Amino acid sequence: MPSSGPLQLDAVIFGGGGAGLWLLDELKAAGYSVLLVETAELGKGQTIASQGIIHGGLKYTLSGFLTPSVAAISEMPGRWRASLAGERTPSLSKTRLRSEFCYLWQTSSLMSKLGMVGARAGLKITPKKLQPHERPAILRDCPGIVARLDEQVIDTASFITDLSTQHRSHILKVSQSDGIEFKYSEPGNITLIKLVNSNTQQELDIKPKRVIFTAGSGNEELRKLAGLQSESMQLRPLHMVMLSGDMPQLNGHCVDGAATRVTITTAEDSNNNKIWQIGGQLAESGVALDEQALINHAKEELLSVIPNLDLTNTKWATYKCQRAEATTAGKRPEDVCINKEGNVITAWPTKLALAPRLSEQIVSMLEDPMELDCEYLSQVKDWPKPITALPPWETVTRWFTEI
Ligand SMILES: Cc1cc2nc3c(=O)[nH]c(=O)nc-3n(C[C@H](O)[C@H](O)[C@H](O)COP(=O)(O)OP(=O)(O)OC[C@H]3O[C@@H](n4cnc5c(N)ncnc54)[C@H](O)[C@@H]3O)c2cc1C
């Protein structure tokens, strides 16, 4: 049964990954009336699959090109650090940190180049070369230089849960297939949103000033629903590797020239087993391989970049995922991407680390908030709430022990 007239809201966000949840926090704090709509589990797609490194731009300068976006991303670690310490909004004091820093190491000796590039680009965080006695045991026998980079690594599931718990009353779960309908006066000018409560079949009509898509790869479908052309997004696949066993904690990149040969981050599963999530070049080239071939390749790569790695009693798995970004003329965007068409904003952060910058830019594009009607939450208090997506090591169906 329809409710009594459409709800008037400043903004409706579609997609509760890292980008949408950060934006929800910012919009609420700035006094906007806003709801976030999620069709699956929060963070499903990229945020939950990501390695959670809060990049400061070094990765972008490895090739020696110094672009304006490097300056933008170099602000991000400080911005996140303040939130993670609970010193500014959004407060992320319940988000678990996997590490305060990453290691950078090389199989050959190119460190001097790395350091110089970082300094030249005006990065806020540059690698600091470690003396042999400062190296972690696992990297002690690496032939090249080992450095420390003060980029934090977060547990992305706890980040999603932290933010969504704070804003639970503003988040609605809607079923993907038939739960969302847009009425528009012309493509990209949404006059009415119709949502269906999957529990009660009750309909909610919303008259939004702004509609913001932060649904990652789901942006394409939403844009179609809003009558917009859908050539604005590219998907870049990754085939990631997971290693489970008694390995030590390790977070960082093995750098080979301009490429990150492997990026390793360490998580824990629900049984307190260590999980190494392994990305970088390995995951890019792994797209062409089946899981067994990729695991074989990963084993060789790991033993070659970490000479004293012990792989006894380990098990292996892989997962595939897509990075969803705005289409760009070059290979990949380096900064956030925001399209504004009519009253619809489509946004991709490009990196989780850039979520604060994305929010800031979107807020600056909005008109002042309407007179706040606090009553709007009472109309959605009985709606289903989405849960946080499970990380890949909890959902993978097959682990390989013998390879
Ligand atoms: C393997 C991997 C590793 C990465 N590592 C890093 C890293 O270390 N550091 C870093 O900064 N970045 C990293 N990234 C990039 C980063 O994960 C993404 O840029 C970022 O998480 C994107 O966030 P998002 O909220 O835009 O999208 P997503 O996290 O994909 O969230 C989209 C949300 O929208 C929902 N949704 C989908 N369709 C709809 C719909 N129709 N209506 C409503 N909701 C919908 C989804 O269920 C999901 O909750 C990595 C990416 C990958 C794939």
Side-chain angles (χ1 to χ4, degrees), residues 317-370:
T318 72
Y319 67 95
K320 289 186 171 164
C321 50
Q322 305 264 18
R323 288 160 293 178
E325 304 161 342
T327 311
T328 44
K331 202 173 159 219
R332 60 172 170 79
E334 289 185 348
D335 201 352
V336 301
C337 291
I338 303 172
N339 292 350
K340 182 168 168 286
E341 293 136 299
N343 68 345
V344 171
I345 291 174
T346 313
W348 295 270
T350 305
K351 286 267 155 207
L352 180 60
L354 286 164
R357 177 167 164 83
L358 187 83
S359 289
E360 198 181 286
Q361 291 196 0
I362 292 176
V363 172
S364 74
M365 294 164 79
L366 304 186
E367 307 82 25
D368 288 343
M370 297 186 295

Side-chain angles (χ1 to χ4, degrees), residues 14-20 37-47 49-53 55 176 180 214-216 218 222 238 240 319 321-323 349-353:
F14 287 82
V37 177
E38 167 63 51
T39 49
E41 289 138 26
L42 297 165
K44 191 170 175 147
Q46 299 165 88
T47 306
S50 95
Q51 293 191 270
I53 300 172
H55 298 289
Q176 175 119 43
I180 302 172
T214 52
L222 287 164
L238 286 174
M240 302 282 291
Y319 67 95
C321 50
Q322 305 264 18
R323 288 160 293 178
T350 305
K351 286 267 155 207
L352 180 60

Side-chain angles (χ1 to χ4, degrees), residues 225-294:
L225 278 182
L228 289 165
Q229 293 300 322
S230 55
E231 276 138 28
S232 58
M233 188 176 84
Q234 64 186 20
L235 293 174
R236 288 192 304 127
L238 286 174
H239 196 176
M240 302 282 291
V241 176
M242 293 181 290
L243 179 61
S244 167
D246 194 21
M247 307 82 62
Q249 172 91 3
L250 178 62
N251 295 281
H253 317 269
C254 176
V255 179
D256 203 347
T260 40
R261 196 160 154 183
V262 292
T263 294
I264 298 172
T265 46
T266 308
E268 253 181 30
D269 69 11
S270 48
N271 296 319
N272 301 329
N273 297 313
K274 289 252 173 15
I275 307 287
W276 276 8
Q277 238 175 310
I278 310 165
Q281 197 59 48
L282 181 81
E284 307 256 359
S285 52
V287 171
L289 303 177
D290 66 28
E291 52 185 348
Q292 199 122 19
L294 175 58

